[in-house]
Amino acid sequence: MKAFKIFLYSALITLSLSVSSCSDSFFETSPAGDLTGDETFASTKNIDALVNGTLRYLMESSTSQDNPGLGAIILTQEVMGDDAIARDGVYGFRDSYPYKDPYDNTTRRALFFWTLQYKVIDNCNNILANTDAAVGTDAEKNYLKGQALALRGFVYLNLVRQYQFTYAKDKNAKAVPVYTEPTSPASQPKPRATVEQVYQQVISDLTQAESLLNGFVRSVKNRPDVNVVRGLLARTYLTMENWTAAAEKARQARTGYPIMEAQQYLQGFNDVSNTEWIWGHPQTADQNLGGASYFAYIDVTPSTGYRSIMPDPYFRNLFADGDIRKSLFEVVTSSSDPMYRWIKYKKFVNKTDKSAHIVLMRSSEMALIEAESKARLHDPQGAVSALNELRVKRGLATLSAADFTETALIEEILTERRRELWGEGFRLPDLLRLQRAPVRKESTETFLVNGTNVLIKGHYVIKFTDGTSLVPNSPYYLFPIPDNEIKTNPNL
């Protein structure tokens, strides 16, 4: 751990030298200047550049083409489920799909996932430790600290759900270390905190952030504001099964962000200007990582890019006729196409200059959290009301609470989460919090070519690497603490 801490400490200074100073905008590209040592924290303007650089680091840092920042974690969590498949023989996530990587703690991906997130935490800790002494107004300081707390809470929520089973299963299980102070070469490495302790830290961070960001008006949706914080609290309470708090925070989070109209769903999920995007990562073409980018793997429409992430044929069958989302599926029937026999799902389409934005939170997710929470609180009418807000915007008829038992209603809402949030990183976290196993079945669907039935491609890995069946709460679903960290932190 000591070597890791030194790396974190030096990375902060390097980052402060290289980030773009954008003051809430990713679209300005002038350098932050030669900020070193105390200069980094001398003023709120400099710290604002560091906040911006930290966000860019989380989203854009890569150690290889298949590790495009947070996008790599999002896509890994999709292909480790059941509704998405990493196309066979194609670069990127072919080892995550069969639970080989990141389950193996010696891989570069295992190391990347860990260090990426802990570096962000260390930057947040430095911002929190140094902002009060900076030159600037009290409001500016509060907003900077609020953003750092929101980002730290976001990362710890990710970590606790990636490295240990869900809160309801065993809140006393050991999860990940919690650091709330800047690290230095002299810092002592921490042991793993319990699941409950990490969640307490997340709630503390986000609650403080909610207060400090009161009145903060961002100019670009990359910055966490009060709505983002409330959305993160909704995710946290949903996983903890605090249904009342989850429903309330979800309702608050989506205030001012109406669910997009049906035709907007067809526009490629690539711009933060979308009315229902609460939080997203904008970028210009020169900030795009090329092959090492989220869209290089999930956009199946171009002739370039890896086009690695495909939908399961059974996933397509979850959509009813008339659902605008169903029109995004296309079976590849041309044998000359390298994607022959796969189904394309054209939800995510990069911009022509390869500058597509990455969605991090939408009001549709919040409506579904509200619906699920109310259903579990024995409020079927409230649950159906929230669910119908989404359904009518996807071209579907409204549902009636009278048509469902409580269990059936909850299942319908969970299925709607699968339909609506595909590709956004929710499938594996949902399976873990629900303590369910992925359902992977070989495809039986065909299409007709010259009078012959041709099998559509689907899941080709339906067991774990040891040959056993997919089951709930398997360690194969958990990300591993990397071998490097275990060797250098004796307190783990």
Side-chain angles (χ1 to χ4, degrees):
M1 182 67 185
K2 188 170 183 179
F4 173 57
K5 290 189 309 241
I6 294 171
F7 184 36
L8 283 178
Y9 181 70
S10 62
L12 171 70
I13 305 303
T14 302
L15 182 62
S16 68
L17 284 166
S18 61
V19 299
S20 296
S21 176
C22 303
S23 301
D24 283 341
S25 175
F26 274 82
F27 300 105
E28 299 173 26
T29 57
S30 58
D34 294 327
L35 302 179
T36 58
D38 293 340
E39 283 186 316
T40 305
F41 304 103
S43 68
T44 53
K45 181 179 179 180
N46 290 358
I47 297 172
D48 185 72
L50 182 58
V51 171
N52 193 62
T54 303
L55 286 162
R56 280 194 60 180
Y57 177 83
L58 176 64
M59 299 304 303
E60 298 177 20
S61 175
S62 67
T63 55
S64 59
Q65 285 211 334
D66 59 344
N67 283 327
L70 183 67
I73 296 175
I74 292 172
L75 294 176
T76 296
Q77 291 180 148
E78 286 294 328
V79 300
M80 289 175 68
D82 42 16
D83 293 332
I85 305 169
R87 191 154 59 101
D88 53 334
V90 179
Y91 182 72
F93 297 87
R94 60 193 177 196
D95 290 330
S96 296
Y97 169 68
Y99 308 102
K100 293 180 182 178
D101 177 12
Y103 177 76
D104 181 352
N105 76 344
T106 66
T107 66
R108 56 184 170 77
R109 175 160 281 166
L111 181 62
F112 174 72
F113 285 175
W114 182 269
T115 55
L116 174 77
Q117 296 183 92
Y118 271 103
K119 279 195 237 179
V120 170
I121 288 169
D122 199 63
N123 268 26
C124 292
N125 289 342
N126 274 279
I127 291 165
L128 292 167
N130 290 284
T131 296
D132 283 338
V135 174
T137 67
D138 288 344
E140 290 170 341
K141 295 175 184 179
N142 285 342
Y143 298 157
L144 290 168
K145 289 188 294 184
Q147 291 173 76
L149 285 163
L151 190 55
R152 188 173 75 181
F154 168 68
V155 174
Y156 273 128
L157 178 60
N158 289 343
L159 287 167
V160 74
R161 296 188 300 176
Q162 291 162 354
Y163 290 86
Q164 190 49 271
F165 296 115
T166 194
Y167 186 92
K169 180 180 184 295
D170 183 2
K171 65 182 181 180
N172 296 313
K174 297 294 185 181
V176 295
V178 171
Y179 293 89
T180 58
E181 300 292 336
T183 58
S184 73
S187 298
Q188 292 300 310
K190 299 280 189 179
R192 297 167 71 188
T194 66
V195 168
E196 183 174 34
Q197 288 169 334
V198 181
Y199 273 95
Q200 288 174 343
Q201 185 63 53
V202 171
I203 291 172
S204 174
D205 283 353
L206 296 177
T207 301
Q208 291 180 73
E210 185 178 21
S211 176
L212 289 169
L213 291 172
N214 184 33
F216 173 59
V217 179
R218 61 188 179 178
S219 59
V220 179
K221 288 182 181 177
N222 67 299
R223 297 300 183 104
D225 66 359
V226 167
N227 289 76
V228 171
V229 169
R230 289 169 177 165
L232 294 175
L233 281 167
R235 290 178 184 175
T236 305
Y237 288 129
L238 181 76
T239 310
M240 297 176 72
E241 301 186 357
N242 183 338
W243 311 121
T244 300
E248 177 63 15
K249 289 303 178 184
R251 183 192 62 78
Q252 293 175 351
R254 65 190 182 101
T255 300
Y257 293 91
I259 295 172
M260 72 178 89
E261 299 295 332
Q263 288 301 313
Q264 288 180 283
Y265 206 93
L266 308 180
Q267 293 177 356
F269 273 76
N270 59 22
D271 202 291
V272 294
S273 63
N274 186 297
T275 184
E276 75 162 67
W277 283 32
I278 300 171
W279 193 22
H281 174 64
Q283 58 186 359
T284 55
D286 65 337
Q287 292 170 341
N288 191 282
L289 299 174
S293 68
Y294 175 80
F295 275 83
Y297 297 101
I298 201 165
D299 178 5
V300 295
T301 63
S303 58
T304 58
Y306 295 110
R307 298 184 290 173
S308 304
I309 314 299
M310 313 304 295
D312 177 27
Y314 293 99
F315 172 67
R316 183 177 67 162
N317 295 338
L318 297 178
F319 294 82
D321 291 342
D323 190 325
I324 193 67
R325 297 167 295 192
K326 193 170 185 178
S327 67
L328 293 170
F329 292 94
E330 176 190 333
V331 180
V332 182
T333 59
S334 172
S335 60
S336 62
D337 192 314
M339 302 177 73
Y340 178 54
R341 295 173 50 212
W342 284 103
I343 298 176
K344 292 181 180 179
Y345 188 41
K346 298 176 286 185
K347 176 179 176 180
F348 298 93
V349 180
N350 208 341
K351 295 187 176 186
T352 55
D353 65 352
K354 311 302 181 187
S355 66
H357 307 169
I358 300 175
V359 63
L360 298 174
M361 183 183 292
R362 296 193 289 125
S363 55
S364 288
E365 178 205 350
M366 295 299 117
L368 289 165
I369 290 177
E370 184 177 349
E372 181 183 344
S373 299
K374 287 187 174 180
R376 295 184 187 278
L377 288 167
H378 318 299
D379 178 10
Q381 192 56 55
V384 166
S385 177
L387 180 60
N388 281 337
E389 284 187 59
L390 174 59
R391 285 180 58 86
V392 297
K393 295 297 179 71
R394 302 296 175 256
L396 296 171
T398 58
L399 300 176
S400 171
D403 294 334
F404 294 89
T405 64
E406 182 173 289
T407 298
L409 179 56
I410 291 171
E411 289 304 314
E412 176 60 29
I413 294 166
L414 293 175
T415 301
E416 188 60 56
R417 280 183 66 89
R418 295 169 65 184
R419 288 189 286 254
E420 179 65 20
L421 301 175
W422 187 93
E424 298 177 49
F426 292 98
R427 189 57 185 145
L428 181 63
D430 274 355
L431 289 168
L432 284 168
R433 77 175 175 89
L434 297 167
Q435 301 189 63
R436 297 181 179 182
V439 178
R440 293 183 176 184
K441 298 181 291 183
E442 293 180 350
S443 173
T444 59
E445 194 170 341
T446 62
F447 61 90
L448 199 64
V449 177
N450 298 325
T452 302
N453 286 319
V454 178
L455 185 67
I456 292 175
K457 288 188 175 183
H459 280 296
Y460 55 93
V461 174
I462 58 176
K463 292 182 181 293
F464 292 126
T465 56
D466 62 2
T468 59
S469 298
L470 307 184
V471 294
N473 296 323
S474 168
Y476 278 109
Y477 307 138
L478 300 181
F479 293 6
I481 297 176
D483 182 62
N484 294 35
E485 183 72 3
I486 292 172
K487 288 177 178 178
T488 54
N489 181 357
N491 294 324
L492 283 176

